[in-house]
Amino acid sequence: MGDEGDSKGRRSGLTIFSQEYYAVCTLGGMLSAGTTHLAITPFDVLKVNMQVNPVKYNSIFSGLNLLVKEQGASSLWRGWSGKLFGYGAQGGCKFGLYEYFKKMYADLMVGHNQTMVFFASSASAQIIADVALCPFEAVKIRVQTQPHFARGLADGMPKLYAYEGLSGFYKGLGPLWARNLPFSMIMFSTFEHSVDILYHKIIQKKREECSRAQQLGITSAAGYISGAIGTVISTPADNIISSLYNKKSHNVLQAAKSIGFPKLFTRSLPIRIMLVGPVVTLQWFFYDSIKLLTGLPTSGGIIDDRNLASKEQ
């Protein structure tokens, strides 16, 4: 009995659902989200400017050329620190807490549809993750669209606080939730179901029967599918956030009215699809690579800790 209790919930020396397990998930989410968002900073700068000034920046190619011509090549990396640290903080909370809440809701909702577990887990994690992201996002957008506001987080944070107080950091929290909650719920649930379909319907193998390369291939395919679908859902709120932070509008309704209903869904959509799909794919790839390196299973599905001991024996 003692040996069984010692082996229960362990894989390669790491205890599933332990503090160490959630720490690895949080660190993996932080590294994967922060680095991937940092890598696409030039396109993010363009995206935000296309949202704020769509007449001037009306296409990807001409917009990039215009930014470089008027503001120099360095302008394409404006706001990089907000991307790295802001989305690193968000990613750590989002992935780490998703694993925590998925376990919690799976235990509470035994017998319920797994989609409800995925929705509840991702929503709970995203609410907290966006509170962590919001101050960084507020400064990042201003730095990217207002060249004389600040150079980055170091001078942007105190400057924004001096101008607008604490509320300046969280002005866009509501729209941020409106953008990221649907995205996160769709992204995580689509990812989970895509992984299940790919293993059972396409490859027709169990996860443990696949090589690491095959497992990461499944992760990448499911990540791209989930990112592309989530992007379409979250585009309206993303446009509203940029309008609010640049004082183009004073509230959500005014922002939606000024942009126009059809353009809420279409403005910056092509560049968002181009950005978000690969970014989400790389996030899942790096995240699951870190999990594999620490002896954990790749993502997808609800792990039943009651069965882990027998698998290890």
Side-chain angles (χ1 to χ4, degrees):
M1 294 295 291
D3 291 340
E4 181 178 347
D6 290 339
S7 64
K8 183 178 181 180
R10 290 184 180 275
R11 288 195 178 189
S12 301
L14 186 65
T15 306
I16 303 292
F17 308 128
S18 66
Q19 291 183 352
E20 293 80 9
Y21 169 77
Y22 293 119
V24 168
C25 294
T26 300
L27 179 62
M30 185 180 300
L31 293 175
S32 63
T35 54
T36 51
H37 277 279
L38 173 65
I40 61 159
T41 298
F43 293 102
D44 185 65
V45 172
L46 174 61
K47 182 210 73 170
V48 173
N49 279 279
M50 289 176 73
Q51 292 172 330
V52 173
N53 195 344
V55 175
K56 184 175 182 179
Y57 303 98
N58 54 24
S59 73
I60 296 174
F61 182 74
S62 65
L64 287 172
N65 282 336
L66 191 59
L67 281 170
V68 172
K69 181 179 179 180
E70 292 187 349
Q71 302 178 31
S74 62
S75 67
L76 298 179
W77 290 95
R78 190 176 292 132
W80 68 268
S81 56
K83 297 286 286 181
L84 176 62
F85 296 109
Y87 283 92
Q90 187 209 44
C93 292
K94 181 169 67 174
F95 283 93
L97 289 174
Y98 176 74
E99 300 284 358
Y100 172 80
F101 285 122
K102 186 166 75 167
K103 166 63 175 167
M104 184 184 77
Y105 288 125
D107 289 343
L108 291 174
M109 302 168 67
V110 175
H112 286 72
N113 190 308
Q114 285 193 350
T115 300
M116 297 305 299
V117 174
F118 303 147
F119 279 166
S121 305
S122 55
S124 299
Q126 192 67 54
I127 287 173
I128 299 172
D130 282 348
V131 173
L133 168 65
C134 204
F136 298 95
E137 187 79 348
V139 175
K140 177 190 76 73
I141 291 178
R142 285 173 171 82
V143 169
Q144 290 177 337
T145 59
Q146 302 171 23
H148 303 295
F149 176 77
R151 294 186 301 275
L153 288 179
D155 56 334
M157 283 281 191
K159 194 170 186 178
L160 179 57
Y161 182 77
Y163 285 168
E164 301 183 31
L166 190 62
S167 63
F169 293 111
Y170 288 97
K171 182 185 296 183
L173 182 58
L176 200 61
W177 278 335
R179 179 188 75 182
N180 289 345
L181 277 172
F183 176 85
S184 186
M185 293 169 70
I186 294 297
M187 189 269 285
F188 275 104
S189 61
T190 301
F191 176 85
E192 299 272 11
H193 289 300
S194 296
V195 167
D196 182 66
I197 291 171
L198 289 168
Y199 275 118
H200 292 93
K201 302 295 184 181
I202 306 301
I203 292 185
Q204 297 182 354
K205 286 184 180 180
K206 294 181 180 179
R207 189 196 315 263
E208 53 268 24
E209 296 173 350
C210 297
S211 66
R212 286 190 172 189
Q214 288 175 320
Q215 292 180 43
L216 291 175
I218 293 293
T219 292
S220 298
Y224 187 84
I225 293 168
S226 63
I229 294 174
T231 298
V232 177
I233 301 296
S234 62
T235 292
D238 191 58
N239 284 313
I240 288 174
I241 289 169
S242 293
S243 180
L244 286 175
Y245 277 135
N246 282 279
K247 298 183 179 180
K248 298 287 184 179
S249 306
H250 297 293
N251 55 59
V252 172
L253 290 178
Q254 188 182 62
K257 185 177 180 180
S258 64
I259 295 171
F261 183 77
K263 291 182 179 179
L264 278 175
F265 293 87
T266 59
R267 180 179 291 179
S268 74
L269 180 60
I271 192 171
R272 289 199 76 228
I273 290 177
M274 185 181 76
L275 290 177
V276 177
V279 165
V280 172
T281 303
L282 287 173
Q283 281 183 20
W284 280 112
F285 177 83
F286 291 149
Y287 179 64
D288 271 1
S289 295
I290 292 170
K291 291 175 78 173
L292 283 175
L293 288 173
T294 55
L296 294 172
T298 53
S299 302
I302 296 175
I303 302 171
D304 189 350
D305 57 345
R306 293 170 297 182
N307 297 328
L308 288 174
S310 62
K311 291 181 180 179
E312 290 297 319
Q313 290 179 339

